[in-house]
Amino acid sequence: MQFSNIGIIGAGTMGIGMCIDLAFHGMSSVLVDISDDTLESAKAEITKIVRFAPLLDKTLPKMDSDNVLNKIKFTTNIEDVAECEFIVENVTENWGIKETVYKQLSKICNAEACFAVNTSCISITKVGSVTERPDKVIGIHFMNPVYLKKSVEVIKGFHTSEETINTTQCFLKQLNKEAIIVNDLPGFVSNRISHLFMNEAAFVVQDGVAKPSQVDEIFKKCFNHKMGPLETADLIGLDTVVNSLDILYESYQDPKFRCCPLLRKMVDAKLLGKKSGKGFYTY
Ligand SMILES: NC(=O)c1ccc[n+]([C@@H]2O[C@H](COP(=O)([O-])OP(=O)(O)OC[C@H]3O[C@@H](n4cnc5c(N)ncnc54)[C@H](O)[C@@H]3O)[C@@H](O)[C@H]2O)c1
């Protein structure tokens, strides 16, 4: 099975990374977002990333940014994905927003198309329940930045079929990515654990125990982690981290997932991390 044209919903951090990675692997995409302004920003960001990405990883192709942009159809009309063979949804981490999108996709897309949910925490079984094809709904938790990461967490929903898992494996093989397949509960493996980490790091800063750089240095220099928890939170986007913590808290009804007030305050102040130019660090 060879894929050539993929539907990408959401032109934020992950949607942009997806379209670049698809182009690097010879695939086209239809990129959907809700406003022309967002799509224009996405074009500018893609142009920038395509220029510097091969400097970060020598194995990435050196492509002309126009050639990459020509492989992407930018649109605000979700019906443009009707003919796509496979859909990767990357909209805001908010159940109401995702639910509306999946109800639309369920009606628009051809019956054979699989829906890959790129979510940090939302249950794949819950997403499947609002479509008419829960057997074709699967979680692919891509890592950020998508074009640099060689492995992904794949999540089987309650009704996800073996056929959908095989189709997903073929898709990921074409992107040269390894799948680590796990079962479905909110946050899966990666974010159920990592969000506790990032949240507690924010509490440490809020409580005046250490500065952000000291927290991250301890993880990098003492534990040999590549990145510290607060750098990671900035890279993900603090709004996405807060939304994910809220989903984990609501899903498990466990106080261990209560969101640090400092994180919420930073989001209210529009300090969203790397994507807004300021978070725990300035970019
Ligand atoms: N940022 C990360 O590191 C990361 C990693 C893995 C997974 N995720 C998950 O991927 C998803 C996207 O995350 P992100 O960081 O790209 O978020 P983001 O906030 O950067 O982008 C989300 C985009 O979705 C768009 N959108 C909202 N409603 C829409 C609709 N109805 N139709 C089309 N587009 C719509 C928004 O305009 C925005 O451009 C989230 O579910 C997140 O949890 C994020």
Side-chain angles (χ1 to χ4, degrees):
M1 190 185 293
Q2 279 289 314
F3 296 90
S4 58
N5 195 24
I6 308 298
I8 302 293
I9 319 295
T13 307
M14 297 309 284
I16 287 172
M18 280 305 309
C19 290
I20 293 171
D21 207 23
L22 290 167
F24 282 170
H25 291 86
M27 286 176 266
S28 299
S29 53
V30 177
L31 177 61
V32 184
D33 209 296
I34 45 177
S35 80
D36 287 322
D37 282 354
T38 308
L39 293 172
E40 283 308 314
S41 310
K43 277 184 201 167
E45 189 66 14
I46 289 169
T47 304
K48 203 168 82 190
I49 293 173
V50 168
R51 285 200 193 118
F52 75 69
L55 302 174
L56 299 175
D57 179 345
K58 303 271 179 256
T59 66
L60 293 179
K62 286 193 182 98
M63 276 181 83
D64 189 83
S65 53
D66 284 342
N67 288 344
V68 172
L69 292 175
N70 285 338
K71 284 188 156 298
I72 307 167
K73 178 182 167 83
F74 294 84
T75 177
T76 53
N77 182 4
I78 196 166
E79 296 198 5
D80 287 342
V81 301
E83 300 303 321
C84 292
E85 306 135 333
F86 197 91
I87 306 287
V88 182
E89 169 275 311
N90 319 263
V91 303
T92 313
E93 184 77 350
N94 171 289
W95 172 243
I97 295 175
K98 292 216 193 258
E99 183 181 21
T100 308
V101 166
Y102 280 98
K103 285 184 175 164
Q104 288 173 301
L105 289 174
S106 197
K107 291 203 181 80
I108 294 165
C109 293
N110 86 52
E112 296 310 309
C114 293
F115 298 163
V117 192
N118 188 10
T119 171
S120 298
C121 289
I122 295 174
S123 154
I124 306 309
T125 308
K126 185 170 172 174
V127 173
S129 75
V130 299
T131 71
E132 281 147 24
R133 59 182 91 184
D135 57 317
K136 293 194 179 298
V137 176
I138 190 161
I140 310 182
H141 180 214
F142 285 93
M143 304 293 150
N144 180 17
V146 179
Y147 44 87
L148 290 181
K149 301 289 181 162
K150 307 283 184 231
S151 300
V152 296
E153 185 179 25
V154 167
I155 307 107
K156 288 187 285 183
F158 187 87
H159 292 293
T160 308
S161 67
E162 278 306 311
E163 197 187 342
T164 300
I165 296 170
N166 291 337
T167 305
T168 302
Q169 294 264 37
C170 288
F171 172 61
L172 291 171
K173 203 166 167 205
Q174 219 174 309
L175 282 173
N176 210 11
K177 293 198 196 300
E178 180 203 9
I180 301 165
I181 304 177
V182 301
N183 287 318
D184 182 34
L185 270 183
F188 331 116
V189 174
S190 55
N191 284 334
R192 186 166 165 185
I193 299 171
S194 66
H195 277 63
L196 287 173
F197 228 52
M198 291 182 275
N199 198 36
E200 205 55 35
F203 272 115
V204 163
V205 172
Q206 180 186 275
D207 293 347
V209 177
K211 292 189 292 191
S213 58
Q214 293 175 306
V215 175
D216 285 337
E217 266 176 19
I218 287 173
F219 277 82
K220 289 191 289 188
K221 293 184 178 163
C222 305
F223 290 161
N224 277 354
H225 287 201
K226 242 181 171 172
M227 288 176 76
L230 298 171
E231 285 171 309
T232 307
D234 266 5
L235 177 69
I236 293 171
L238 300 189
D239 50 344
T240 302
V241 173
V242 167
N243 286 342
S244 299
L245 282 164
D246 286 345
I247 290 163
L248 289 168
Y249 184 84
E250 195 194 310
S251 305
Y252 292 101
Q253 297 287 304
D254 188 329
K256 75 181 173 195
F257 292 113
R258 83 254 177 262
C259 177
C260 172
L262 173 63
L263 276 176
R264 221 181 273 288
K265 182 176 169 184
M266 289 174 77
V267 171
D268 288 341
K270 307 273 185 285
L271 305 185
L272 306 181
K274 211 167 179 184
K275 65 180 164 188
S276 73
K278 199 163 168 43
F280 286 101
Y281 299 92
T282 302
Y283 299 89

